[in-house]
Amino acid sequence: MKKIYQFLMLTASIALFSCGSSGSDDPDPTPTPPPTPTPSINIILRSQSIAEGAEVDAKTTTVLTLDYNTTVKVTGTGITLNGKAVTAKSNPTTIMSVDIPLTLEEGTKYTLKVENGAIVSTTDATASAPEFTLNFTTKEAPKPIGENDAVALTKKLGWGWNLGNHFDSSTDEDDKTGSYWDNATPTATLYTNLKNAGVSTVRICVTWGNYQSPAWTIDANYMAEVKQNVDWAEAAGLNVILNMHHDEYWLDIKDAALNNIINDAIKKRIVTTWKQIAETFKDKGDFLFFESFNEVQDGKWGWGDNLTDGGKQYKVLNEWNQLVVSTIRATGGNNATRWIGVPAYASSPKFALENTFELPQDDANRIMVSVHFYDPNTFTLTPDNSDGKSEWGHTAAKGKYQEGSNEEHVVETFQKLQEKYIANNIPVYIGEYGCVMHKTDRSNLFRNYYLEYVCRAAHTYNLPLCVWDNFVVGGGNEHHSYFSHNDGTYTNGMGSLVQTMIKAATSNDETYTLESIYNNAPK
């Protein structure tokens, strides 16, 4: 019993000692943290105005908008662009998005970061948007176009004029001639007066097939007559663009695209014809330019089988253009380095801007792109038709102009041509442009405005241009007349308009702009 008693006493003492050891000198026990509140809202980024890896325009991209699945607000910190803090704000319009202002430089890589907690719910501050990182770049600034060949040729060619409906007259048959459609007899005085008026270039359009024998030999008298006009233009100090014009009747691109035998026969004739032309003029100086073809197409003006044949017609035209260039170069003399213009399908800017159009290979590196511009044709060519239009531009009355073909269309088309070709030292010229004389004074005010605006836009984007003139006086469809094809005197009282077009196409007056012309549109 005594031993048991002693054991119990010892156990009690140890227990008392243990309890006494937890005095005031011992550290407090670690407190249990309160539970973290669970956000009542799960914030999800639904969309963003700039995609990951996008290339954007520095000037027009001024804000990044992040759109969430709930109403959000910014806390004021935690958003950076390339490491620098950015102050964002909630979008008051949607209340579910945030606008992050951007000040961007051209040709730069950017990383935007949004930290966790930078954007939170408006109803539950514990709910924050997830971290977000966006990488994007800005486009390079357009390179200023210096005095490259394309710009130099723009200045050289300046404002030009077409001797239309003369040598380009066609019977659509081989070895069968007809009268000249303009019923004119050009003289040396014609070219002298054109030069005195301020014309820099004459485009002499020629149809050759009507004057070819079955062996495709060009009639010597006809060739001499064409050469005489080239000589007169040279003597007057004019540039000349000499082409193959209404030979489309044998340049059957639709059948050539479907039948190699037909294509081979056409190619042989192209070589034979262009060899004769090139040999005749190979000693002429650099005032003379050749143009392979005019408006080669299948008769539907770009709305035909070319859209459904898998690119066969485009391929054939590329092949023909190459053939002309190679044939001209092979004749030597000044043709070894002479500038040669080549058209895209239908001579249309639309097709010239597509990848289906390929420039010929040329060791001389002297190829030009030829386009025509008559947009919108309902106003410029066929105002008398049932769908014809009597006005043009931003001040035109509703229903009297062609939708989508006003000032912005001109600028967009010419700017794209400059960016694709001229900025890369490939000249482009507008071989034909124009607008018929209309039948009312008001409509002719819009005609004058159109012609001035097109010429100034051409100058703005480094495009020389040649007005179409078929010597048909009066007004209505097909009535294009500025100069007499006999002696170069003005027709239809066109002196003032011609001088306006020349000024618009050539003036370097910085105060004379597209905007100043735009602001003076007919009311």
Side-chain angles (χ1 to χ4, degrees), residues 195-239:
K195 179 66 175 180
N196 291 339
V199 177
S200 296
T201 300
V202 173
R203 183 169 176 258
I204 299 179
C205 316
V206 184
T207 299
W208 303 94
N210 307 154
Y211 292 85
Q212 285 184 295
S213 69
W216 303 329
T217 300
I218 299 171
D219 179 81
N221 292 328
Y222 185 65
M223 180 67 85
E225 190 177 353
V226 173
K227 185 175 181 300
Q228 176 67 84
N229 279 260
V230 173
D231 291 344
W232 282 334
E234 179 185 14
L238 294 163
N239 302 301

Side-chain angles (χ1 to χ4, degrees), residues 282-496:
K282 70 179 182 180
D283 295 329
K284 287 296 185 183
D286 61 6
F287 78 94
L288 179 63
F289 299 74
F290 285 144
E291 180 182 276
S292 59
F293 306 106
N294 181 48
E295 295 168 336
V296 178
Q297 38 88 32
D298 65 7
K300 300 296 184 179
W301 296 99
W303 299 98
D305 288 359
N306 60 295
L307 299 177
T308 58
D309 68 2
K312 291 180 180 179
Q313 289 190 46
Y314 305 140
K315 183 179 179 181
V316 167
L317 181 56
N318 292 334
E319 185 180 1
W320 290 356
N321 277 329
Q322 181 66 66
L323 199 58
V324 172
V325 170
S326 299
T327 300
I328 292 171
R329 295 287 182 244
T331 60
N334 289 334
N335 289 340
T337 56
R338 189 178 309 285
W339 284 99
I340 303 172
V342 295
Y345 195 82
S347 294
S348 167
K350 173 184 181 296
F351 295 112
L353 291 167
E354 292 182 358
N355 293 331
T356 53
F357 176 56
E358 298 176 0
L359 292 178
Q361 296 295 314
D362 180 34
D363 290 341
N365 197 28
R366 288 199 159 193
I367 299 298
M368 308 171 68
V369 178
S370 169
V371 299
H372 294 175
F373 191 80
Y374 290 108
D375 296 352
N377 66 286
T378 51
F379 174 74
T380 64
L381 299 178
T382 57
D384 290 345
N385 287 9
S386 59
D387 62 346
K389 303 299 179 184
S390 60
E391 300 181 10
W392 178 86
H394 67 287
T395 59
K398 188 173 181 59
K400 293 187 176 183
Y401 65 91
Q402 185 72 49
E403 294 282 355
S405 293
N406 290 324
E407 296 93 345
E408 67 282 354
H409 172 67
V410 177
V411 170
E412 180 183 16
T413 301
F414 292 1
Q415 183 177 24
K416 286 181 177 179
L417 288 169
Q418 175 178 269
E419 290 172 350
K420 180 168 184 175
Y421 294 110
I422 298 163
N424 292 300
N425 202 25
I426 301 168
V428 181
Y429 66 99
I430 302 173
E432 292 181 21
Y433 83 97
C435 181
V436 298
M437 174 80 83
H438 284 242
K439 294 180 178 178
T440 70
D441 290 342
R442 178 169 174 79
S443 291
N444 280 317
L445 288 177
F446 284 96
R447 176 205 188 212
N448 295 350
Y449 171 59
Y450 170 88
L451 292 171
E452 182 179 12
Y453 192 91
V454 167
C455 286
R456 197 57 182 166
H459 177 272
T460 302
Y461 295 102
N462 296 292
L463 299 163
L465 70 175
C466 299
V467 72
W468 182 252
D469 187 330
N470 61 8
F471 199 23
V472 179
V473 298
N477 292 358
E478 291 297 332
H479 287 71
H480 304 264
S481 187
Y482 302 91
F483 294 95
S484 164
H485 288 194
N486 296 304
D487 59 11
T489 55
Y490 289 119
T491 60
N492 283 341
M494 288 292 101
S496 176

Side-chain angles (χ1 to χ4, degrees), residues 66 68 73-81 83-90 98-101 112-120 128-132:
L66 303 178
Y68 292 94
K73 62 182 180 180
V74 295
T75 61
T77 60
I79 302 177
T80 58
L81 182 65
K84 295 183 179 180
V86 177
T87 301
K89 61 181 180 179
S90 302
V98 170
D99 289 339
I100 302 174
L112 184 136
K113 292 184 177 180
V114 179
E115 297 179 0
N116 190 305
I119 299 173
V120 298
S128 63
E131 291 184 358
F132 172 74

